[in-house]
Amino acid sequence: MGETPKQKKLISLSQFIIEEQIKIPYASGEFSALLNHLVYAAKIVGREVRKAGLLDDILGATDDVNVQGETQMKLDQYADLAFNNALKICGHLCVLASEEHEEIVPIPSGYNIGKYTMAIDPLDGSSNIDTNVSIGTIFSIHQRLDPTSKSPGSEKDLLQKGSLQRSAGYIIYGSSTMLVLSTGKGVSGFTLDPSVGEFLLSHPQMKMPESGDIYSANEGNASYWSPQVQNYLNHIKSIEKGKKPKTARYIGSLVADFHRNLLKGGIFLYPNDTKSSKYPNGKLRLLYEAAPMAFIAEQAGGMAVTVKGERILDLTPNELHQRTTLVIGSKKEVEEFLSFA
């Protein structure tokens, strides 16, 4: 008989957070409790994603349009409601912002006001919902400007640099449900074991390869991009002097494209274009998408910049739904892109 596979030492997300908290002398436990509420909502959303196709009231578009001017999918609204309901009454936030809402989501009266803020994209890649392609949730956590205050937070508490994030992460709903998390001390990945309902540490100390052969970009818009971006793309696809061109992989869900590149190495580009005057500064949201993903990328050894070469984490948002360009991925790949600036 062959050897039975060795069982990994399984560490739950809850246990991991507790052990990390012990390392911080001034930790109060609030942050750990906040993550527990986030994870609870993620499990609910993950359950509904797995049932998509079986329930008529989950798939398809609604008649509503969100603040971004995009048609809301039914699962968009479900995810937004699930996360909002779990987080705004958890007692550890002073203010919440959702990509689906024009204004901040205030903490209801009668509930404890905490010292953290959260900006969340409840369901990234919603255009892929009906086609069974991986989608995800992205979140960003800051400490409020005055951590001693017991008053409700404001928009100002949310409009902080990405470099000041206390934590950022994403949940990807794919062949398995996985949480990728950083608290500023590296990146860890946790996979949901549906048999016990727990996220278990499956990818400790995640590191993005310094270089990679994959590039992710919606090349259907290439004719509308700047000469800098077009020249870079022509360079990485060139076969001059026997050079091997890079491989194109574009899913259209930021979480899914980034997650693949985090594991395998590569670069993701979302430039601005001249096709429409609606998004002159790019289409991705700084608070809900670019900043949290940049935090994870840098903690894993990667880089994240705008097409102008500005470090994403150095940008101070001026409004909740500020947009930006994004070039993110392996360090050497982003550095090569910058050489075309």
Side-chain angles (χ1 to χ4, degrees), residues 254-275:
L254 174 59
V255 166
D257 280 307
F258 177 86
H259 186 69
R260 181 200 54 244
N261 291 359
L262 173 62
L263 296 174
K264 297 188 174 183
I267 187 169
F268 173 92
L269 305 96
Y270 210 119
N272 53 335
D273 58 51
T274 59
K275 182 172 59 175

Side-chain angles (χ1 to χ4, degrees), residues 166-185:
R166 289 302 179 93
S167 177
Y170 60 85
I171 302 111
I172 183 167
Y173 311 105
S175 53
S176 61
T177 299
M178 187 172 173
L179 166 67
V180 175
L181 174 71
S182 176
T183 58
K185 297 179 179 178

Side-chain angles (χ1 to χ4, degrees), residues 172-322:
I172 183 167
Y173 311 105
S175 53
S176 61
T177 299
M178 187 172 173
L179 166 67
V180 175
L181 174 71
S182 176
T183 58
K185 297 179 179 178
V187 179
S188 301
F190 303 83
T191 300
L192 180 64
D193 182 345
S195 66
V196 295
E198 280 279 4
F199 280 95
L200 303 176
L201 182 61
S202 55
H203 295 68
Q205 300 175 347
M206 298 178 78
K207 290 293 182 184
M208 183 179 287
E210 278 199 350
S211 59
D213 293 329
I214 297 171
Y215 75 95
S216 310
N218 184 2
E219 288 193 84
N221 292 324
S223 297
Y224 301 104
W225 293 341
S226 69
Q228 169 205 359
V229 177
Q230 292 183 25
N231 290 340
Y232 168 74
L233 285 174
N234 290 334
H235 169 73
I236 63 176
K237 294 188 294 181
S238 171
I239 57 172
E240 291 180 2
K241 299 179 182 179
K243 186 168 69 73
K244 180 183 177 183
K246 291 194 180 297
T247 301
R249 293 286 185 271
Y250 184 69
I251 299 171
S253 297
L254 174 59
V255 166
D257 280 307
F258 177 86
H259 186 69
R260 181 200 54 244
N261 291 359
L262 173 62
L263 296 174
K264 297 188 174 183
I267 187 169
F268 173 92
L269 305 96
Y270 210 119
N272 53 335
D273 58 51
T274 59
K275 182 172 59 175
S276 169
S277 59
K278 189 176 180 181
Y279 307 118
N281 300 314
K283 193 175 179 182
L284 296 181
R285 271 65 59 156
L286 177 58
L287 272 180
Y288 308 99
E289 297 167 312
M293 298 308 250
F295 189 79
I296 296 166
E298 289 200 9
Q299 286 294 317
M303 290 181 67
V305 299
T306 68
V307 293
K308 295 180 179 179
E310 303 159 298
R311 181 183 178 228
I312 291 291
L313 294 184
D314 286 339
L315 301 179
T316 301
N318 299 313
E319 56 186 49
L320 287 180
H321 298 284
Q322 183 172 326

Side-chain angles (χ1 to χ4, degrees), residues 78-92:
Y78 184 92
D80 181 55
L81 191 63
F83 281 106
N84 281 357
N85 286 346
L87 292 167
K88 68 185 180 183
I89 64 171
C90 73
H92 307 293

Side-chain angles (χ1 to χ4, degrees), residues 53-125:
L54 298 175
L55 302 177
D56 292 334
D57 58 347
I58 285 294
L59 288 182
T62 68
D63 295 326
D64 300 323
V65 176
N66 67 10
V67 63
Q68 318 299 340
E70 301 160 344
T71 300
Q72 283 187 312
M73 307 297 284
K74 292 177 182 177
L75 202 52
D76 268 330
Q77 291 188 340
Y78 184 92
D80 181 55
L81 191 63
F83 281 106
N84 281 357
N85 286 346
L87 292 167
K88 68 185 180 183
I89 64 171
C90 73
H92 307 293
L93 291 178
C94 68
V95 65
L96 173 66
S98 168
E99 191 224 17
E100 298 294 326
H101 296 266
E102 184 173 2
E103 306 292 340
I104 61 172
V105 179
I107 306 303
S109 60
Y111 289 94
N112 187 57
I113 303 295
K115 63 180 181 181
Y116 293 106
T117 77
M118 184 179 291
I120 189 166
D121 182 352
L123 211 58
D124 171 75

